Amino acid sequence: MTLSGPIDFKPKLISALRDYSFTKFKSDLIAGIVVGIVALPLAVAFAIASGVSPTVGLITAIIGGFLVSALGGCSVQIGGPTGAFIVIVYGIIENFGLEGLAIATFMAGVILVLMGLFHLGTVIKFIPYPIVVGFTAGIALTIFSTQMNDFFGLGLTNMPAAFIPKWGMYFSNFGNIDIVSTIVGVVSLLIIISVPMISKKLPGALIAIILVTLGVWLLNSNFPEYHVATIGDRFGDLVTTIPAPKGFVFSMDTINLLLPSAFTIAVLGSIESLLSATVADGITGSKTGSNTELIGQGVANMMVPFFGGIPVTGAIARTMTNITNGGRTPIAGVIHAIVLLVIFLFMMPLINLVPMACLAAVLIVVSYNMSGWRTVRAILKNPKSDVTVLVVTFLLTVIFDLTIAIEIGLLLAVILFLRRVTENVQIKVYSEQLDIAEGTESTSHEVLDVAKGVQVYEIDGPFFFGIATKFDEMMRTTMGDKPKVRIIRMRKVPFIDATAVHNLEILIRASQEEGIHVVLSGVNDNVRSVLEHVGIDKLIGKDHICPHISLAVKMANKIVWQLDEETSVAE
């Protein structure tokens, strides 16, 4: 991974078209149609749960899905709105309105593009797994909690956004449960669960929506006293045309307010899309261009806000549906967007008839699948540091919000990681004799005689700020008699940071003031270039930076011998 070099932007669509064939097109066509049908109820459900109209969800899936497939770095990735964004989108709309959401989404797109341009695609994959699991499980529980109102037909308005007050309101109004809406929700749930038992390829959510919508339409038409709330009741007649692009006004105050939310959208989107791409690569054997994928996702998120859309990312469930139905190139994703466009233009009146309780059942199943409770159970058997990160991220996501959860979760993971690294890095002290082969797999041993007055310190691991303090403390506690030469053996130091360089410089200057020579041994090229850049080589002399411990010990012994000779002459 580098932060410089040529732009890594090579969309898979371009390479796929070079050797495209009619056989591939047939497979992509079937997969694209199936994925488009599967994506329909999810786009509608995610939009409503996020606090926007179903139209917005479909527009996002059409425009965002097309751009992710056309510009992305994964051959089979399907983009669109996902459940992971429900919590953050709902919170942004509540606090900053739809224009605030548009600005935050656009800013997130810019961040994603910059991440791709600076070759950070591989870095995102290194975000600790307990953090991903923790906030995914937290999002799942939050989505589940938002669906109780529609599932049980409580008819509550002005619901609090916070988790605990929301459930308090539910419990205080559970006497108002609408039995008919609850039956619709339960029947929908049973259909969604049972359909995959018949065939894995059948979209359970879509079949539930079709059957239950038909049943509720008949019920509402013939028995209006048992009316079940539908999308049309909630949102009125839905628009059936793609809206004209609409701009939004930026200001520094708005940017400062929305930057944390934009950062959360970008991090969440990059994690979800690259995780989806990694899973897809494992199945198809292809290789995703991580940086290209981030740039493609970024462009999609920069474009959809102009049409009123919500954040876009790679969707694991839809991507897997694409793969299992034969999709192998981005053409399948493009076809999926076209299918959604056709449905949007010609079938939107039918969307008005879908019961809210049925959509709630769809999202309850989505939240269950997102929860990853088996993974959570497995991580709870891991070291306490992983469990701590998981639990803290989960609780922060549920009780507070996703932005805080990601920021504190990452901070906690970094702190625990640094502590673990610091504990594992060893600093050894030698005197009188030193085995060159110690700490290696070599079977030949060469023991060096270290003159009296020479101390050898070996740092086994990265020399960064945490170890710099530990090394400084070690020097102070193991000095004993004042030495004449200090050898710092750095053969196992892969890198050195500014704090370690600063501490090393202080040590050298303090040693020189006391008449103590400092010799560095086994410095690799990377570390040496850093030391030369800050002038350490000039401070101690280039000859005092030795490539091997035998040369360093030989030099140290010679220095001690010369100092002893000078002392004898003086006496």
Side-chain angles (χ1 to χ4, degrees):
M1 190 276 295
T2 59
L3 300 182
S4 60
I7 295 174
D8 184 11
F9 181 61
K10 300 173 183 176
K12 288 291 185 179
L13 180 61
I14 296 175
S15 59
L17 290 175
R18 288 174 186 156
D19 58 348
Y20 204 60
S21 64
F22 183 70
T23 302
K24 290 182 179 179
F25 175 73
K26 286 194 296 183
S27 298
D28 288 339
L29 178 63
I30 295 171
I33 292 173
V34 173
V35 176
I37 293 172
V38 170
L40 173 65
L42 295 177
V44 171
F46 293 148
I48 292 174
S50 300
V52 296
S53 75
T55 302
V56 171
L58 286 173
I59 290 172
T60 302
I62 293 167
I63 299 175
F66 172 81
L67 291 173
V68 167
S69 294
L71 303 177
C74 179
S75 298
V76 293
Q77 184 85 278
I78 302 296
T82 67
F85 285 122
I86 289 175
V87 180
I88 186 68
V89 169
Y90 190 90
I92 294 172
I93 293 174
E94 187 176 46
N95 293 314
F96 305 104
L98 290 174
E99 184 165 349
L101 174 64
I103 294 172
T105 305
F106 180 85
M107 290 168 59
V110 173
I111 293 171
L112 284 164
V113 170
L114 291 175
M115 289 166 66
L117 293 177
F118 283 96
H119 297 195
L120 295 176
T122 53
V123 175
I124 295 299
K125 295 179 180 180
F126 297 146
I127 289 179
Y129 193 51
I131 290 181
V132 177
V133 174
F135 68 62
T136 302
I139 291 168
L141 180 57
T142 305
I143 294 173
F144 174 81
S145 70
T146 61
Q147 300 311 305
M148 297 300 99
N149 188 21
D150 289 330
F151 189 84
F152 292 107
L154 297 176
L156 300 175
T157 57
N158 300 320
M159 290 288 298
F163 180 81
I164 295 175
K166 183 186 270 97
W167 277 97
M169 195 169 183
Y170 286 153
F171 286 126
S172 61
N173 287 276
F174 250 49
N176 301 324
I177 288 177
D178 181 68
I179 299 300
V180 180
S181 294
T182 304
I183 292 173
V184 169
V186 171
V187 170
S188 302
L189 207 56
L190 292 175
I191 293 173
I192 297 170
I193 294 171
S194 60
V195 164
M197 298 178 184
I198 300 171
S199 173
K200 296 287 185 183
K201 293 188 175 182
L202 292 175
L206 184 67
I207 291 175
I209 286 177
I210 292 173
L211 295 178
V212 174
T213 298
L214 178 60
V216 168
W217 176 72
L218 292 172
L219 178 69
N220 289 346
S221 300
N222 296 290
F223 303 95
E225 64 272 19
Y226 298 115
H227 184 82
V228 176
T230 64
I231 290 177
D233 296 331
R234 178 76 60 85
F235 297 97
D237 292 333
L238 300 177
V239 179
T240 58
T241 56
I242 299 289
K246 181 181 178 182
F248 31 85
V249 180
F250 283 100
S251 69
M252 284 308 301
D253 290 339
T254 306
I255 292 173
N256 289 334
L257 283 172
L258 291 170
L259 187 57
S261 298
F263 175 76
T264 302
I265 292 172
V267 171
L268 193 59
S270 60
I271 292 172
E272 188 167 8
S273 63
L274 293 181
L275 179 62
S276 173
T278 301
V279 173
D281 288 348
I283 297 173
T284 63
S286 60
K287 182 174 175 57
T288 294
S290 299
N291 298 313
T292 300
E293 184 66 15
L294 289 180
I295 295 173
Q297 300 279 341
V299 172
N301 280 286
M302 290 171 66
M303 291 300 297
V304 293
F306 291 103
F307 299 91
I310 58 179
V312 178
T313 187
I316 295 178
R318 275 159 276 177
T319 299
M320 290 302 299
T321 302
N322 183 31
I323 294 171
T324 55
N325 284 277
R328 288 297 181 272
T329 78
I331 296 296
V334 172
I335 292 172
H336 131 271
I338 295 172
V339 170
L340 288 173
L341 178 61
V342 171
I343 294 172
F344 178 78
L345 295 175
F346 301 107
M347 300 179 65
M348 283 303 284
L350 297 177
I351 303 296
N352 288 321
L353 302 176
V354 176
M356 296 301 299
C358 181
L359 283 180
V362 171
L363 286 171
I364 287 172
V365 174
V366 168
S367 64
Y368 173 81
N369 292 332
M370 279 184 66
S371 68
W373 61 270
R374 293 180 181 85
T375 304
V376 172
R377 186 176 62 183
I379 290 179
L380 292 177
K381 300 175 183 177
N382 285 8
K384 289 182 180 179
S385 58
D386 290 339
V387 176
T388 301
V389 171
L390 170 66
V391 172
V392 169
T393 308
F394 173 80
L395 292 177
L396 289 173
T397 302
V398 173
I399 298 174
F400 296 98
D401 66 53
L402 197 57
T403 302
I404 295 175
I406 288 180
E407 291 172 351
I408 295 182
L410 285 172
L411 179 62
L412 183 60
V414 168
I415 292 172
L416 292 172
F417 171 75
L418 290 176
R419 193 184 85 174
R420 191 177 298 176
V421 171
T422 303
E423 290 173 348
N424 288 332
V425 173
Q426 297 180 343
I427 300 174
K428 302 174 183 177
V429 184
Y430 299 93
S431 59
E432 297 184 1
Q433 287 190 330
L434 175 65
D435 186 350
I436 293 179
E438 183 178 338
T440 69
E441 295 181 357
S442 176
T443 56
S444 60
H445 296 273
E446 180 183 351
V447 179
L448 300 176
D449 290 324
V450 180
K452 186 177 181 181
V454 176
Q455 289 181 338
V456 182
Y457 296 86
E458 178 169 9
I459 304 171
D460 185 357
F463 195 11
F464 65 104
F465 58 90
I467 303 306
T469 304
K470 184 178 179 180
F471 178 65
D472 189 53
E473 292 174 354
M474 173 76 74
M475 292 287 294
R476 296 178 187 279
T477 57
T478 60
M479 279 186 183
D481 295 334
K482 188 174 81 169
K484 296 173 183 176
V485 181
R486 289 185 177 127
I487 298 176
I488 303 176
R489 195 179 188 189
M490 304 175 71
R491 59 175 177 157
K492 295 182 179 178
V493 176
F495 67 87
I496 186 170
D497 75 351
T499 304
V501 169
H502 177 69
N503 282 23
L504 183 61
E505 183 179 356
I506 292 175
L507 169 67
I508 292 170
R509 292 187 184 278
S511 297
Q512 289 175 341
E513 288 176 3
E514 297 182 63
I516 302 172
H517 291 257
V518 176
V519 178
L520 304 183
S521 167
V523 182
N524 68 36
D525 292 339
N526 290 333
V527 176
R528 187 176 186 121
S529 65
V530 173
L531 297 179
E532 289 177 350
H533 183 71
V534 297
I536 295 293
D537 59 326
K538 296 176 183 176
L539 182 62
I540 64 173
K542 289 188 177 182
D543 60 327
H544 279 51
I545 302 179
C546 301
H548 195 270
I549 187 62
S550 58
L551 297 176
V553 170
K554 184 177 180 181
M555 172 182 283
N557 289 345
K558 183 178 180 181
I559 292 172
V560 170
W561 178 78
Q562 289 174 344
L563 290 174
D564 289 342
E565 282 290 313
E566 291 172 3
T567 303
S568 299
V569 171
E571 291 177 351

